[in-house]
Amino acid sequence: SSPDFLVEIYTHSFFARMDDEVAVITGANSGVGLAVAKRLLVEVASTRQLRLCLACRNMEKAEVTRQTLLREHPGAKIDLLQVDTSSPESAVNAAKEIKKRYTGLRWLYCNAGIMPLGGMDWRLLLTLRRSVWAHLFSTGEGLINHIDWTMDNGIQAVFSTNVLGHYLMIKELEEYLIDQEQPCHIIWTSSNTARFVKMDPEDIQDRKGISPYPSSKKLMDLISLNLNRCLNSYGVYSDTTCPGMVVSQMTLTIMPSFLWHVILPIIFLIRVFITHFITFDPLNGAEALIWLSKQNPATLDHTIKYFSRKPPINKTYVLQEKIDVSDQLLNDVMQALNNISQPYLSETVTSK
């Protein structure tokens, strides 16, 4: 790509109005993140002064996404922000840029993530037991072999990308969010896989385990609970969601795309007789995130997790389920997370 093109991207003009309601979406150029952007433009922008900020790692792809959205919604306010959530430094810098650009932040969608896989155990698909199929297609547990690696900074890649980068952004933004006049709603793209994780406070990166992706999603649930405990009184709220099983760039790595089409009849039967967890289309998967976006966050129960569900015929709906965790585990996990985060945060943040 030419330097001129990159300069044009990085110097995109931002004329945010005081009454703009800014929505920052990480990982917004594909999958659930893109679906959230599309649905916000259709379902929220018509009644509110919405300004989207697509926070992505690859700026060229983000600009293509931005132009596509602008063709569909001429006049929409859409900005770009570079962030690589696998890099603590990039995450902190992105948060600082948000503070420079905007007078407030109405929504922060912590959506970017990776799910590196080492293959599947196809033998499990041969079972005919209904309970096994329901479990496999709602959690992937036993069916999917997760992998991970240690980055140059000594941090595990899945933990850093899915959790740490977002947490650092929030911590860097914390004082800014507390001081702003409007409420801020932080909405996480978690997963059903978090249900079955037994979190070890001494190994929150899952270095010793075999489930780095489910563990990262469990951490999101715990972080969200703690953010509410600390920040609700200041007008900052947090909730976690599960988009269900969607076909996206992430899930397409599980098996070749042609196999997805081969098993479509099976998926349809599962949706009819077993579970509505398979939402398939990212626009369906975004249902819980969009539903939350339309609520007054001060009226919600933030100990609830919100699940997108799609029956084969009827409209999508949101399932609610209590997040059950002990105070001791929550405290221990947050202490471990803060110990990892502290070296990357500004002195004004770490001193609080």
Side-chain angles (χ1 to χ4, degrees):
S1 57
S2 68
D4 291 342
F5 176 74
L6 292 177
V7 169
E8 182 180 349
I9 290 175
Y10 287 112
T11 59
H12 176 63
S13 297
F14 307 98
F15 298 103
R17 291 168 38 144
M18 292 291 290
D19 56 350
D20 279 347
E21 295 189 274
V22 178
V24 173
I25 310 169
T26 67
N29 65 329
S30 63
V32 173
L34 177 56
V36 168
K38 288 180 176 180
R39 290 192 58 177
L40 285 175
L41 288 171
V42 171
E43 301 176 41
V44 175
S46 60
T47 58
R48 307 173 78 154
Q49 292 287 344
L50 176 70
R51 177 177 286 274
L52 282 185
C53 177
L54 311 182
C56 305
R57 179 179 57 84
N58 187 312
M59 287 289 95
E60 292 188 37
K61 291 182 179 179
E63 177 64 13
V64 171
T65 299
R66 176 176 172 271
Q67 292 299 332
T68 300
L69 292 174
L70 286 173
R71 282 194 295 271
E72 297 171 358
H73 303 276
K77 305 169 188 175
I78 307 176
D79 303 331
L80 300 183
L81 173 69
Q82 186 170 38
V83 61
D84 179 357
T85 56
S86 71
S87 164
E89 294 82 4
S90 176
V92 171
N93 288 336
K96 291 178 178 178
E97 180 63 24
I98 290 171
K99 290 188 285 188
K100 290 178 183 177
R101 286 188 192 177
Y102 308 119
T103 57
L105 181 60
R106 182 61 182 83
W107 298 279
L108 173 60
Y109 299 89
C110 298
N111 169 77
I114 58 172
M115 184 176 68
L117 301 173
M120 298 177 63
D121 187 347
W122 293 99
R123 295 170 300 176
L124 289 176
L125 293 177
L126 299 178
T127 181
L128 298 178
R129 286 165 53 197
R130 180 177 178 224
S131 60
V132 172
W133 275 83
H135 185 70
L136 289 180
F137 277 90
S138 61
T139 68
E141 188 177 25
L143 176 65
I144 299 172
N145 300 317
H146 296 276
I147 60 175
D148 198 5
W149 61 92
T150 304
M151 301 190 302
D152 292 342
N153 60 8
I155 299 174
Q156 296 301 110
V158 174
F159 164 79
S160 189
T161 306
N162 298 3
V163 179
L164 182 61
H166 291 113
Y167 185 66
L168 289 171
M169 288 181 70
I170 293 167
K171 292 301 291 182
E172 188 67 36
L173 289 168
E174 189 172 290
E175 198 67 31
Y176 161 85
L177 297 177
I178 289 173
D179 291 341
Q180 70 180 27
E181 294 184 5
Q182 62 183 333
C184 177
H185 199 174
I186 301 166
I187 301 175
W188 302 76
T189 305
S190 181
S191 168
N192 196 49
T193 60
R195 286 178 174 177
F196 306 96
V197 172
K198 294 182 179 178
M199 181 62 62
D200 180 1
E202 297 184 1
D203 184 25
I204 64 172
Q205 300 187 52
D206 199 50
R207 293 181 186 275
K208 303 173 185 176
I210 57 173
S211 303
Y213 178 80
S215 293
S216 72
K217 298 304 181 177
K218 182 71 171 184
L219 272 174
M220 291 180 182
D221 294 349
L222 299 182
I223 292 169
S224 184
L225 289 174
N226 188 68
L227 289 172
N228 288 309
R229 184 170 64 175
C230 299
L231 299 178
N232 277 180
S233 60
Y234 300 102
V236 181
Y237 306 91
S238 179
D239 287 291
T240 56
T241 67
C242 170
M245 185 177 181
V246 301
V247 178
S248 65
Q249 289 183 0
M250 180 182 289
T251 53
L252 280 175
T253 61
I254 298 175
M255 55 185 169
S257 58
F258 76 90
L259 282 180
W260 279 106
H261 295 285
V262 170
I263 68 170
L264 274 176
I266 299 174
I267 290 177
F268 179 81
L269 292 174
I270 292 172
R271 289 170 69 177
V272 173
F273 297 108
I274 300 178
T275 178
H276 297 161
F277 175 79
I278 303 175
T279 51
F280 206 73
D281 189 325
L283 290 170
N284 295 331
E287 180 67 21
L289 294 89
I290 295 300
W291 183 87
L292 284 168
S293 306
K294 297 176 180 178
Q295 310 304 310
N296 176 355
T299 66
L300 296 172
D301 180 351
H302 301 288
T303 64
I304 296 288
K305 187 169 183 174
Y306 299 87
F307 297 78
S308 299
R309 291 291 183 264
K310 180 65 176 77
I313 298 175
N314 297 326
K315 293 181 179 181
T316 52
Y317 65 94
V318 177
L319 180 70
Q320 303 182 18
E321 183 177 289
K322 194 84 168 180
I323 302 174
D324 187 19
V325 61
S326 70
D327 288 340
Q328 186 62 55
L329 176 61
L330 182 57
N331 292 336
D332 291 346
V333 166
M334 292 310 302
Q335 181 61 55
L337 180 59
N338 286 326
N339 289 341
I340 297 171
S341 304
Q342 187 171 0
Y344 298 102
L345 293 168
S346 305
E347 291 184 11
T348 54
V349 175
T350 57
S351 63
K352 295 185 189 309

mmCIF file with all atom_site columns, all heavy atoms in Angstrom, residues 44-60:
data_model
loop_
_atom_site.group_PDB
_atom_site.id
_atom_site.type_symbol
_atom_site.label_atom_id
_atom_site.label_alt_id
_atom_site.label_comp_id
_atom_site.label_asym_id
_atom_site.label_entity_id
_atom_site.label_seq_id
_atom_site.pdbx_PDB_ins_code
_atom_site.Cartn_x
_atom_site.Cartn_y
_atom_site.Cartn_z
_atom_site.occupancy
_atom_site.B_iso_or_equiv
_atom_site.pdbx_formal_charge
_atom_site.auth_seq_id
_atom_site.auth_comp_id
_atom_site.auth_asym_id
_atom_site.auth_atom_id
_atom_site.pdbx_PDB_model_num
ATOM 1   N N   . VAL A 1 44 ? -29.982 2.462  15.888 1.00 0.00 ? 44 VAL A N   1
ATOM 2   C CA  . VAL A 1 44 ? -29.697 3.478  16.910 1.00 0.00 ? 44 VAL A CA  1
ATOM 3   C C   . VAL A 1 44 ? -29.487 4.855  16.295 1.00 0.00 ? 44 VAL A C   1
ATOM 4   O O   . VAL A 1 44 ? -29.971 5.870  16.809 1.00 0.00 ? 44 VAL A O   1
ATOM 5   C CB  . VAL A 1 44 ? -28.473 3.075  17.771 1.00 0.00 ? 44 VAL A CB  1
ATOM 6   C CG1 . VAL A 1 44 ? -28.104 4.183  18.745 1.00 0.00 ? 44 VAL A CG1 1
ATOM 7   C CG2 . VAL A 1 44 ? -28.756 1.781  18.517 1.00 0.00 ? 44 VAL A CG2 1
ATOM 8   N N   . ALA A 1 45 ? -28.773 4.908  15.166 1.00 0.00 ? 45 ALA A N   1
ATOM 9   C CA  . ALA A 1 45 ? -28.416 6.203  14.575 1.00 0.00 ? 45 ALA A CA  1
ATOM 10  C C   . ALA A 1 45 ? -29.632 7.009  14.133 1.00 0.00 ? 45 ALA A C   1
ATOM 11  O O   . ALA A 1 45 ? -29.557 8.239  14.026 1.00 0.00 ? 45 ALA A O   1
ATOM 12  C CB  . ALA A 1 45 ? -27.477 5.988  13.388 1.00 0.00 ? 45 ALA A CB  1
ATOM 13  N N   . SER A 1 46 ? -30.748 6.344  13.873 1.00 0.00 ? 46 SER A N   1
ATOM 14  C CA  . SER A 1 46 ? -31.935 7.052  13.399 1.00 0.00 ? 46 SER A CA  1
ATOM 15  C C   . SER A 1 46 ? -32.569 7.920  14.483 1.00 0.00 ? 46 SER A C   1
ATOM 16  O O   . SER A 1 46 ? -33.290 8.871  14.187 1.00 0.00 ? 46 SER A O   1
ATOM 17  C CB  . SER A 1 46 ? -32.973 6.052  12.880 1.00 0.00 ? 46 SER A CB  1
ATOM 18  O OG  . SER A 1 46 ? -33.353 5.153  13.906 1.00 0.00 ? 46 SER A OG  1
ATOM 19  N N   . THR A 1 47 ? -32.299 7.603  15.737 1.00 0.00 ? 47 THR A N   1
ATOM 20  C CA  . THR A 1 47 ? -32.924 8.348  16.841 1.00 0.00 ? 47 THR A CA  1
ATOM 21  C C   . THR A 1 47 ? -31.920 9.040  17.753 1.00 0.00 ? 47 THR A C   1
ATOM 22  O O   . THR A 1 47 ? -32.319 9.761  18.666 1.00 0.00 ? 47 THR A O   1
ATOM 23  C CB  . THR A 1 47 ? -33.788 7.396  17.698 1.00 0.00 ? 47 THR A CB  1
ATOM 24  O OG1 . THR A 1 47 ? -32.964 6.333  18.207 1.00 0.00 ? 47 THR A OG1 1
ATOM 25  C CG2 . THR A 1 47 ? -34.925 6.805  16.878 1.00 0.00 ? 47 THR A CG2 1
ATOM 26  N N   . ARG A 1 48 ? -30.623 8.824  17.524 1.00 0.00 ? 48 ARG A N   1
ATOM 27  C CA  . ARG A 1 48 ? -29.616 9.407  18.402 1.00 0.00 ? 48 ARG A CA  1
ATOM 28  C C   . ARG A 1 48 ? -28.461 9.948  17.568 1.00 0.00 ? 48 ARG A C   1
ATOM 29  O O   . ARG A 1 48 ? -28.272 9.571  16.414 1.00 0.00 ? 48 ARG A O   1
ATOM 30  C CB  . ARG A 1 48 ? -29.115 8.359  19.410 1.00 0.00 ? 48 ARG A CB  1
ATOM 31  C CG  . ARG A 1 48 ? -30.242 7.701  20.175 1.00 0.00 ? 48 ARG A CG  1
ATOM 32  C CD  . ARG A 1 48 ? -29.786 6.551  21.038 1.00 0.00 ? 48 ARG A CD  1
ATOM 33  N NE  . ARG A 1 48 ? -29.158 6.993  22.259 1.00 0.00 ? 48 ARG A NE  1
ATOM 34  C CZ  . ARG A 1 48 ? -29.132 6.252  23.378 1.00 0.00 ? 48 ARG A CZ  1
ATOM 35  N NH1 . ARG A 1 48 ? -29.726 5.088  23.423 1.00 0.00 ? 48 ARG A NH1 1
ATOM 36  N NH2 . ARG A 1 48 ? -28.527 6.700  24.457 1.00 0.00 ? 48 ARG A NH2 1
ATOM 37  N N   . GLN A 1 49 ? -27.670 10.833 18.173 1.00 0.00 ? 49 GLN A N   1
ATOM 38  C CA  . GLN A 1 49 ? -26.505 11.422 17.504 1.00 0.00 ? 49 GLN A CA  1
ATOM 39  C C   . GLN A 1 49 ? -25.324 10.459 17.621 1.00 0.00 ? 49 GLN A C   1
ATOM 40  O O   . GLN A 1 49 ? -24.385 10.665 18.398 1.00 0.00 ? 49 GLN A O   1
ATOM 41  C CB  . GLN A 1 49 ? -26.157 12.774 18.139 1.00 0.00 ? 49 GLN A CB  1
ATOM 42  C CG  . GLN A 1 49 ? -27.190 13.851 17.904 1.00 0.00 ? 49 GLN A CG  1
ATOM 43  C CD  . GLN A 1 49 ? -27.171 14.357 16.468 1.00 0.00 ? 49 GLN A CD  1
ATOM 44  O OE1 . GLN A 1 49 ? -26.227 14.136 15.719 1.00 0.00 ? 49 GLN A OE1 1
ATOM 45  N NE2 . GLN A 1 49 ? -28.238 15.043 16.079 1.00 0.00 ? 49 GLN A NE2 1
ATOM 46  N N   . LEU A 1 50 ? -25.383 9.384  16.842 1.00 0.00 ? 50 LEU A N   1
ATOM 47  C CA  . LEU A 1 50 ? -24.386 8.322  16.937 1.00 0.00 ? 50 LEU A CA  1
ATOM 48  C C   . LEU A 1 50 ? -23.137 8.663  16.147 1.00 0.00 ? 50 LEU A C   1
ATOM 49  O O   . LEU A 1 50 ? -23.208 9.129  15.007 1.00 0.00 ? 50 LEU A O   1
ATOM 50  C CB  . LEU A 1 50 ? -24.974 7.008  16.409 1.00 0.00 ? 50 LEU A CB  1
ATOM 51  C CG  . LEU A 1 50 ? -24.020 5.810  16.360 1.00 0.00 ? 50 LEU A CG  1
ATOM 52  C CD1 . LEU A 1 50 ? -23.685 5.328  17.769 1.00 0.00 ? 50 LEU A CD1 1
ATOM 53  C CD2 . LEU A 1 50 ? -24.630 4.667  15.543 1.00 0.00 ? 50 LEU A CD2 1
ATOM 54  N N   . ARG A 1 51 ? -21.975 8.428  16.752 1.00 0.00 ? 51 ARG A N   1
ATOM 55  C CA  . ARG A 1 51 ? -20.695 8.499  16.057 1.00 0.00 ? 51 ARG A CA  1
ATOM 56  C C   . ARG A 1 51 ? -19.968 7.189  16.294 1.00 0.00 ? 51 ARG A C   1
ATOM 57  O O   . ARG A 1 51 ? -19.648 6.849  17.445 1.00 0.00 ? 51 ARG A O   1
ATOM 58  C CB  . ARG A 1 51 ? -19.857 9.671  16.546 1.00 0.00 ? 51 ARG A CB  1
ATOM 59  C CG  . ARG A 1 51 ? -18.465 9.731  15.896 1.00 0.00 ? 51 ARG A CG  1
ATOM 60  C CD  . ARG A 1 51 ? -17.667 10.946 16.326 1.00 0.00 ? 51 ARG A CD  1
ATOM 61  N NE  . ARG A 1 51 ? -18.161 12.164 15.694 1.00 0.00 ? 51 ARG A NE  1
ATOM 62  C CZ  . ARG A 1 51 ? -17.794 12.600 14.493 1.00 0.00 ? 51 ARG A CZ  1
ATOM 63  N NH1 . ARG A 1 51 ? -16.925 11.908 13.778 1.00 0.00 ? 51 ARG A NH1 1
ATOM 64  N NH2 . ARG A 1 51 ? -18.281 13.707 14.017 1.00 0.00 ? 51 ARG A NH2 1
ATOM 65  N N   . LEU A 1 52 ? -19.725 6.442  15.237 1.00 0.00 ? 52 LEU A N   1
ATOM 66  C CA  . LEU A 1 52 ? -19.027 5.170  15.345 1.00 0.00 ? 52 LEU A CA  1
ATOM 67  C C   . LEU A 1 52 ? -17.517 5.387  15.267 1.00 0.00 ? 52 LEU A C   1
ATOM 68  O O   . LEU A 1 52 ? -17.034 6.219  14.505 1.00 0.00 ? 52 LEU A O   1
ATOM 69  C CB  . LEU A 1 52 ? -19.427 4.231  14.205 1.00 0.00 ? 52 LEU A CB  1
ATOM 70  C CG  . LEU A 1 52 ? -20.763 3.496  14.268 1.00 0.00 ? 52 LEU A CG  1
ATOM 71  C CD1 . LEU A 1 52 ? -20.864 2.541  13.083 1.00 0.00 ? 52 LEU A CD1 1
ATOM 72  C CD2 . LEU A 1 52 ? -20.914 2.737  15.570 1.00 0.00 ? 52 LEU A CD2 1
ATOM 73  N N   . CYS A 1 53 ? -16.795 4.598  16.041 1.00 0.00 ? 53 CYS A N   1
ATOM 74  C CA  . CYS A 1 53 ? -15.338 4.565  15.941 1.00 0.00 ? 53 CYS A CA  1
ATOM 75  C C   . CYS A 1 53 ? -14.925 3.105  15.784 1.00 0.00 ? 53 CYS A C   1
ATOM 76  O O   . CYS A 1 53 ? -15.077 2.308  16.718 1.00 0.00 ? 53 CYS A O   1
ATOM 77  C CB  . CYS A 1 53 ? -14.692 5.185  17.173 1.00 0.00 ? 53 CYS A CB  1
ATOM 78  S SG  . CYS A 1 53 ? -12.889 5.117  17.163 1.00 0.00 ? 53 CYS A SG  1
ATOM 79  N N   . LEU A 1 54 ? -14.453 2.768  14.592 1.00 0.00 ? 54 LEU A N   1
ATOM 80  C CA  . LEU A 1 54 ? -14.023 1.400  14.303 1.00 0.00 ? 54 LEU A CA  1
ATOM 81  C C   . LEU A 1 54 ? -12.576 1.245  14.753 1.00 0.00 ? 54 LEU A C   1
ATOM 82  O O   . LEU A 1 54 ? -11.664 1.805  14.161 1.00 0.00 ? 54 LEU A O   1
ATOM 83  C CB  . LEU A 1 54 ? -14.147 1.115  12.803 1.00 0.00 ? 54 LEU A CB  1
ATOM 84  C CG  . LEU A 1 54 ? -15.477 1.488  12.134 1.00 0.00 ? 54 LEU A CG  1
ATOM 85  C CD1 . LEU A 1 54 ? -15.450 1.104  10.652 1.00 0.00 ? 54 LEU A CD1 1
ATOM 86  C CD2 . LEU A 1 54 ? -16.651 0.840  12.846 1.00 0.00 ? 54 LEU A CD2 1
ATOM 87  N N   . ALA A 1 55 ? -12.376 0.512  15.828 1.00 0.00 ? 55 ALA A N   1
ATOM 88  C CA  . ALA A 1 55 ? -11.044 0.337  16.412 1.00 0.00 ? 55 ALA A CA  1
ATOM 89  C C   . ALA A 1 55 ? -10.471 -0.992 15.944 1.00 0.00 ? 55 ALA A C   1
ATOM 90  O O   . ALA A 1 55 ? -10.900 -2.057 16.393 1.00 0.00 ? 55 ALA A O   1
ATOM 91  C CB  . ALA A 1 55 ? -11.128 0.387  17.933 1.00 0.00 ? 55 ALA A CB  1
ATOM 92  N N   . CYS A 1 56 ? -9.516  -0.928 15.024 1.00 0.00 ? 56 CYS A N   1
ATOM 93  C CA  . CYS A 1 56 ? -9.026  -2.131 14.359 1.00 0.00 ? 56 CYS A CA  1
ATOM 94  C C   . CYS A 1 56 ? -7.501  -2.139 14.312 1.00 0.00 ? 56 CYS A C   1
ATOM 95  O O   . CYS A 1 56 ? -6.852  -1.107 14.440 1.00 0.00 ? 56 CYS A O   1
ATOM 96  C CB  . CYS A 1 56 ? -9.570  -2.204 12.929 1.00 0.00 ? 56 CYS A CB  1
ATOM 97  S SG  . CYS A 1 56 ? -11.373 -2.105 12.813 1.00 0.00 ? 56 CYS A SG  1
ATOM 98  N N   . ARG A 1 57 ? -6.957  -3.316 14.097 1.00 0.00 ? 57 ARG A N   1
ATOM 99  C CA  . ARG A 1 57 ? -5.507  -3.465 13.983 1.00 0.00 ? 57 ARG A CA  1
ATOM 100 C C   . ARG A 1 57 ? -5.027  -3.054 12.596 1.00 0.00 ? 57 ARG A C   1
ATOM 101 O O   . ARG A 1 57 ? -4.045  -2.341 12.447 1.00 0.00 ? 57 ARG A O   1
ATOM 102 C CB  . ARG A 1 57 ? -5.126  -4.922 14.266 1.00 0.00 ? 57 ARG A CB  1
ATOM 103 C CG  . ARG A 1 57 ? -3.637  -5.230 14.150 1.00 0.00 ? 57 ARG A CG  1
ATOM 104 C CD  . ARG A 1 57 ? -3.360  -6.687 14.465 1.00 0.00 ? 57 ARG A CD  1
ATOM 105 N NE  . ARG A 1 57 ? -4.120  -7.574 13.600 1.00 0.00 ? 57 ARG A NE  1
ATOM 106 C CZ  . ARG A 1 57 ? -3.741  -7.939 12.365 1.00 0.00 ? 57 ARG A CZ  1
ATOM 107 N NH1 . ARG A 1 57 ? -2.613  -7.461 11.857 1.00 0.00 ? 57 ARG A NH1 1
ATOM 108 N NH2 . ARG A 1 57 ? -4.471  -8.754 11.653 1.00 0.00 ? 57 ARG A NH2 1
ATOM 109 N N   . ASN A 1 58 ? -5.714  -3.512 11.562 1.00 0.00 ? 58 ASN A N   1
ATOM 110 C CA  . ASN A 1 58 ? -5.315  -3.250 10.183 1.00 0.00 ? 58 ASN A CA  1
ATOM 111 C C   . ASN A 1 58 ? -6.099  -2.053 9.646  1.00 0.00 ? 58 ASN A C   1
ATOM 112 O O   . ASN A 1 58 ? -7.303  -2.145 9.396  1.00 0.00 ? 58 ASN A O   1
ATOM 113 C CB  . ASN A 1 58 ? -5.576  -4.494 9.324  1.00 0.00 ? 58 ASN A CB  1
ATOM 114 C CG  . ASN A 1 58 ? -5.025  -4.368 7.916  1.00 0.00 ? 58 ASN A CG  1
ATOM 115 O OD1 . ASN A 1 58 ? -5.227  -3.361 7.244  1.00 0.00 ? 58 ASN A OD1 1
ATOM 116 N ND2 . ASN A 1 58 ? -4.330  -5.404 7.468  1.00 0.00 ? 58 ASN A ND2 1
ATOM 117 N N   . MET A 1 59 ? -5.435  -0.932 9.462  1.00 0.00 ? 59 MET A N   1
ATOM 118 C CA  . MET A 1 59 ? -6.102  0.290  9.055  1.00 0.00 ? 59 MET A CA  1
ATOM 119 C C   . MET A 1 59 ? -6.595  0.248  7.615  1.00 0.00 ? 59 MET A C   1
ATOM 120 O O   . MET A 1 59 ? -7.604  0.881  7.277  1.00 0.00 ? 59 MET A O   1
ATOM 121 C CB  . MET A 1 59 ? -5.172  1.494  9.244  1.00 0.00 ? 59 MET A CB  1
ATOM 122 C CG  . MET A 1 59 ? -4.962  1.899  10.692 1.00 0.00 ? 59 MET A CG  1
ATOM 123 S SD  . MET A 1 59 ? -6.449  2.659  11.433 1.00 0.00 ? 59 MET A SD  1
ATOM 124 C CE  . MET A 1 59 ? -7.197  1.219  12.211 1.00 0.00 ? 59 MET A CE  1
ATOM 125 N N   . GLU A 1 60 ? -5.916  -0.459 6.746  1.00 0.00 ? 60 GLU A N   1
ATOM 126 C CA  . GLU A 1 60 ? -6.384  -0.539 5.361  1.00 0.00 ? 60 GLU A CA  1
ATOM 127 C C   . GLU A 1 60 ? -7.712  -1.277 5.295  1.00 0.00 ? 60 GLU A C   1
ATOM 128 O O   . GLU A 1 60 ? -8.651  -0.840 4.611  1.00 0.00 ? 60 GLU A O   1
ATOM 129 C CB  . GLU A 1 60 ? -5.329  -1.234 4.497  1.00 0.00 ? 60 GLU A CB  1
ATOM 130 C CG  . GLU A 1 60 ? -4.055  -0.414 4.313  1.00 0.00 ? 60 GLU A CG  1
ATOM 131 C CD  . GLU A 1 60 ? -3.118  -1.055 3.306  1.00 0.00 ? 60 GLU A CD  1
ATOM 132 O OE1 . GLU A 1 60 ? -3.609  -1.618 2.297  1.00 0.00 ? 60 GLU A OE1 1
ATOM 133 O OE2 . GLU A 1 60 ? -1.896  -1.002 3.515  1.00 0.00 ? 60 GLU A OE2 1
#
